[in-house]
């Protein structure tokens, strides 16, 4: 349970808010690469309550500028990409990716007025499958050296999807391992899968450890015959989580427990009432199977903005299915399950009236860590997991995966 003030600190992320300052201190995804192919049209994006235009200049470099032209506020996402930047189609002012005004065709030839115009501009960087931006103060930090940021493009699969609720609800789901025993239960018949491990022990032991990047969460379940199934999940400051996810290729070739990669859910506020969930799947040893990922993850996503299952149609919950194959009655797509549950809580959860239990240990730890980081920034100190040099991130012990432990018999 939080106070109203604490809940506001964590969930309000618009410009000038303490929570917004925290999220802006880190690189954040602003699009997936397929949204912005070289030569493609500019894109209107809304992130952290700001309306912006994302485009690639003629050299293919991504730029993120204020949506509205600083002249008389026309929408730059309708603009032309030319002349070293993006040109407003109202009166022809143009801007480069750093927000410098390059041309003002209507001004006197000898005017230096354009040099006094600086449009809102945020630095961007391409990483496999994503375009990241830095919207914080000062120089951007180094990119944390996670291997999926430097992997071959084929080893990484990404999609983005709108969730109609505050980002924190989604982020909390990443460190709530007990819900896997219920919400996502899908009948796999007699086959023993990691899903059946999850369903067979509904009260897992959850161990939480603070790390340089956030939290390591170890969840251990009794799977019988003196064995325990242990999953290592991570909370990555301030709105990302990594976990054992869907199979990376055909499960017969690379079962989920092979520790050959993992999934990440990165929850980026659109505004306080919506967030963009970036689903990332990373395989270490070779290409991810994109067809499999589309089937497992994006089935039901009609576009980035509309879903087949939604609040208006009660997510097509099927009570017959609930008695025959799935626990929730909303198909087998985990994205649908998670989106339903987080949206069902309301636009921003009222955390002043919840009643937390033993299985919420990691959620509690995550909130504490976020609140401490906000307080630290408000006191003029840098937030955790922000470094100027990549080698200072200390990710050697970062691991996401699972193992089976033999339980020693009691003496
Ligand atoms: S409004 Fe953009 S150039 Fe005039
Ligand atoms: Fe989930």
């Amino acid at each position: 349970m939080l106070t109203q003030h604490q809940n506001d600190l964590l969930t309000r992320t618009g410009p000038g808010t303490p929570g917004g300052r925290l999220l802006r201190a880190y690189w954040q995804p602003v699009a997936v690469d397929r949204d912005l192919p070289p030569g493609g049209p500019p894109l209107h994006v809304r992130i952290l309550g700001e309306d912006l235009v994302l485009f690639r200049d003629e050299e293919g470099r991504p730029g993120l500028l204020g949506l509205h032209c600083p002249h008389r506020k026309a929408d730059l996402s309708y603009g032309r990409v030319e002349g070293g930047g993006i040109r407003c189609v109202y009166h022809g002012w143009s801007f480069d990716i750093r927000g410098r005004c390059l041309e003002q065709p209507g001004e006197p030839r000898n005017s230096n007025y354009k040099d006094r115009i600086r449009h809102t501009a945020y630095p961007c960087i391409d990483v496999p499958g994503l375009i990241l931006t830095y919207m914080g103060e000062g120089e951007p930090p180094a990119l944390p050296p996670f291997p999926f940021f430097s992997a071959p493009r084929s080893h990484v699969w990404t999609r983005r999807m709108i969730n109609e609720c505050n980002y924190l609800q989604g982020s909390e789901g990443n460190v709530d391992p007990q819900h896997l025993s219920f919400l996502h239960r899908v009948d796999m018949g007699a086959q023993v899968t990691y899903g059946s491990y999850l369903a067979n022990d509904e009260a897992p032991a959850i161990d939480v450890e603070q790390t340089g990047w956030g939290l390591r969460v170890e969840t251990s379940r009794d799977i019988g015959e003196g064995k325990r199934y242990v999953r290592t999940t991570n909370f990555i400051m301030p709105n990302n989580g990594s976990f054992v996810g869907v199979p990376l290729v055909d499960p017969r070739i690379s079962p989920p427990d092979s520790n050959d990669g993992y999934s990440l859910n990165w929850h980026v506020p659109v505004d306080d009432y919506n967030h963009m969930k970036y689903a990332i799947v990373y395989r270490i040893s070779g290409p991810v199977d994109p067809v499999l990922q589309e089937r497992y993850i994006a089935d039901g996503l009609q576009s980035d903005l509309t879903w087949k299952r939604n609040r208006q149609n009660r997510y097509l919950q099927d009570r017959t299915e609930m008695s025959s194959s799935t626990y929730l009655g909303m198909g087998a797509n985990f994205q649908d399950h998670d989106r339903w549950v987080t949206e069902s809580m309301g636009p921003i959860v009222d955390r002043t009236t919840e009643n937390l239990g033993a299985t919420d240990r990691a959620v509690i730890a995550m909130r504490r860590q976020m609140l401490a980081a906000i307080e630290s920034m408000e006191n003029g100190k840098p937030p955790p997991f922000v470094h100027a040099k990549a080698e200072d991130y200390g990710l050697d012990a970062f691991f996401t995966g699972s193992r089976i432990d033999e339980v020693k018999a009691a003496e």
Side-chain angles (χ1 to χ4, degrees):
M1 196 168 106
L2 297 179
T3 65
Q4 187 60 50
H5 177 62
Q6 289 171 323
N7 203 29
D8 289 344
L9 281 176
L10 291 174
T11 56
R12 304 292 179 175
T13 62
T17 59
R21 275 190 79 211
L22 179 72
L23 294 190
R24 282 169 174 78
Y26 302 79
W27 287 97
Q28 297 283 349
V30 64
V32 295
D33 57 357
R34 59 199 259 170
D35 295 328
L36 199 70
L43 202 65
H44 170 194
V45 293
R46 188 164 161 76
I47 174 171
L48 291 159
E50 296 185 45
D51 284 300
L52 303 166
V53 55
L54 181 67
F55 69 102
R56 285 192 192 278
D57 69 11
E58 292 148 302
E59 290 179 40
R61 297 176 300 186
L64 185 63
L65 305 181
L67 182 69
H68 295 285
C69 175
H71 177 216
R72 284 184 29 226
K73 305 290 172 176
D75 183 333
L76 284 174
S77 69
Y78 291 86
R80 301 171 65 95
V81 176
E82 60 188 28
I86 189 166
R87 188 183 303 283
C88 178
V89 286
Y90 199 5
H91 313 97
W93 290 23
S94 70
F95 308 91
D96 70 6
I97 57 171
R98 295 167 67 186
R100 289 180 303 203
C101 184
L102 302 175
E103 285 178 351
Q104 293 168 316
E107 294 302 305
R109 270 190 200 287
N110 57 358
S111 163
N112 65 359
Y113 181 25
K114 70 176 170 51
D115 301 333
R116 286 180 277 133
I117 304 286
R118 238 332 147 90
H119 194 28
T120 304
Y122 298 116
C124 294
I125 184 171
D126 280 298
V127 296
L130 297 172
I131 297 154
L132 307 182
T133 188
Y134 176 72
M135 297 171 68
E137 298 149 22
E139 285 299 305
L143 201 59
F146 286 114
F148 48 87
F149 284 152
S150 54
R153 176 67 186 88
S154 58
H155 295 211
V156 181
W157 177 96
T158 56
R159 285 298 291 257
R160 64 170 194 163
M161 42 200 92
I162 281 276
N163 281 221
E164 293 177 3
C165 63
N166 186 263
Y167 83 99
L168 189 62
Q169 282 149 240
S171 189
E172 286 177 347
N174 292 339
V175 287
D176 171 11
Q178 196 246 359
H179 85 270
L180 295 168
S181 299
F182 289 88
L183 182 74
H184 299 304
R185 227 186 255 180
V186 176
D187 185 18
M188 303 292 276
Q191 206 186 345
V192 175
T193 64
Y194 81 116
S196 49
Y197 292 161
L198 300 172
N200 288 345
D201 184 351
E202 298 168 351
I206 300 172
D207 193 49
V208 186
E209 182 195 344
Q210 193 150 341
T211 60
W213 58 84
L215 299 170
R216 179 191 288 119
V217 182
E218 279 210 346
T219 310
S220 159
R221 284 179 168 87
D222 183 358
I223 56 170
E225 298 172 354
K227 291 180 182 161
R228 295 190 73 84
Y229 175 57
V230 184
R231 286 162 62 95
T232 304
T233 297
N234 293 278
F235 165 57
I236 302 167
M237 279 292 286
N239 55 340
N240 196 353
S242 67
F243 55 94
V244 177
V246 296
L248 305 154
V249 290
D250 185 326
R252 286 166 302 186
I253 301 169
S254 173
D257 296 342
S258 62
N259 292 334
D260 187 19
Y262 43 90
S263 298
L264 301 109
N265 287 339
W266 203 336
H267 300 269
V268 184
V270 170
D271 49 36
D272 291 347
Y273 308 106
N274 300 279
H275 72 270
M276 194 65 82
K277 176 177 179 178
Y278 289 84
I280 303 163
V281 177
Y282 165 56
R283 184 173 174 221
I284 298 165
S285 69
V288 185
D289 181 344
V291 174
L292 193 78
Q293 299 311 319
E294 290 295 323
R295 203 178 75 217
Y296 271 91
I297 294 188
D299 176 37
L301 181 65
Q302 299 176 133
S303 76
D304 286 339
L305 300 175
T306 62
W307 293 81
K308 195 159 67 194
R309 298 174 189 272
N310 54 59
R311 195 179 284 131
Q312 284 67 36
N313 60 27
R314 289 189 60 82
Y315 301 84
L316 303 174
Q317 188 180 39
D318 181 341
R319 300 237 157 220
T320 310
E321 183 187 305
M322 286 167 86
S323 56
S324 61
S325 57
T326 73
Y327 190 75
L328 174 65
M330 294 184 195
N333 179 356
F334 282 28
Q335 297 292 349
D336 275 327
H337 307 164
D338 286 327
R339 186 170 48 86
W340 162 73
V341 78
T342 49
E343 292 181 355
S344 79
M345 297 167 167
I348 300 181
V349 169
D350 178 2
R351 294 181 177 79
T352 68
T353 56
E354 59 188 3
N355 295 281
L356 300 177
T359 60
D360 300 308
R361 295 182 63 180
V363 172
I364 294 166
M366 183 188 108
R367 294 177 186 174
R368 281 206 189 116
Q369 202 166 36
M370 296 276 289
L371 285 167
I374 290 171
E375 192 183 323
S376 168
M377 279 193 87
E378 291 302 288
N379 291 330
K381 298 198 199 102
F385 201 51
V386 169
H387 297 287
K389 291 195 205 131
E391 55 267 33
D392 291 340
Y393 277 97
L395 291 174
D396 291 352
F398 181 83
F399 168 77
T400 305
S402 61
R403 64 177 195 269
I404 292 181
D405 280 354
E406 304 274 344
V407 184
K408 291 196 190 82
E411 306 263 305

